[in-house]
Amino acid sequence: KIVQMLNKTILAFASRENAIILGRGGFAILQGYANVLNVRIQAPLSVRVLQVMQTQQVNNYETAEEMVKENDRTCSAFIETFYHIKWDDARNFDLVLDTSRISPQLAVDWVCAAAHEIDQHRVVRGKPTREIEVDPTLAHAIDDALKSAS
């Protein structure tokens, strides 16, 4: 039931258009919509471990490595259990970026260019997210949450 509600909530946010949905299986839920760009940002394990050490102030490499591996296992299990697809399969994404190979700014530029291309309707597949039917109560709750967040 919780995953069904998560799916409905992601679809409700997506129906508003111009939304960025990070994680939570968004790429699986929103497959096939005309105006959705599914992006996977990845890097080798060693790069991600060093990033965790820096951003979460973990001093021990092995501890940080286990944190990254545990996160990978959790994400993989969630996606495979509830959506029956591989979490790290590049075929599930429109754009896959390795941040150990390109700068964050170049990654942003590429994502923006791809999103602009889709926004200009140069790439068409499926129906647009604005056609998603959203429960009125959920839509109202999202409106309230977004108003209070701004």
Side-chain angles (χ1 to χ4, degrees):
K1 294 286 184 193
I2 291 172
V3 173
Q4 290 173 346
M5 190 61 192
L6 171 69
N7 293 348
K8 289 178 182 180
T9 302
I10 287 174
L11 288 167
F13 272 103
S15 74
R16 302 173 67 87
E17 300 188 320
N18 293 321
I20 296 174
I21 298 169
L22 178 64
R24 309 300 176 259
F27 74 94
I29 299 161
L30 298 170
Q31 283 289 336
Y33 282 96
N35 58 328
V36 170
L37 177 67
N38 286 310
V39 179
R40 178 175 172 79
I41 299 174
Q42 62 186 29
L45 177 64
S46 61
V47 172
R48 294 182 296 133
V49 169
L50 292 174
Q51 184 178 26
V52 164
M53 290 178 73
Q54 185 177 39
T55 60
Q56 298 186 24
Q57 300 168 340
V58 176
N59 295 325
N60 183 284
Y61 186 92
E62 289 76 23
T63 300
E65 182 178 44
E66 186 52 40
M67 290 170 67
V68 171
K69 287 180 177 180
E70 179 60 26
N71 184 66
D72 287 354
R73 284 189 293 270
T74 301
C75 290
S76 178
F78 178 80
I79 297 301
E80 291 179 23
T81 299
F82 294 106
Y83 303 109
H84 312 291
I85 59 176
K86 292 287 185 187
W87 167 67
D88 58 352
D89 187 342
R91 293 175 294 182
N92 295 317
F93 300 90
D94 303 305
L95 184 60
V96 178
L97 304 172
D98 182 342
T99 55
S100 73
R101 306 273 301 157
I102 62 171
S103 70
Q105 186 57 56
L106 184 56
V108 168
D109 292 346
W110 286 355
V111 170
C112 289
H116 180 71
E117 189 80 11
I118 288 172
D119 195 42
Q120 296 301 313
H121 304 288
R122 294 183 189 137
V123 180
V124 179
R125 68 167 193 223
K127 64 181 182 177
T129 55
R130 70 177 167 274
E131 293 181 14
I132 295 170
E133 292 185 34
V134 179
D135 175 81
T137 303
L138 179 57
H140 182 72
I142 288 172
D143 286 342
D144 287 348
L146 291 173
K147 285 177 189 169
S148 67
S150 32

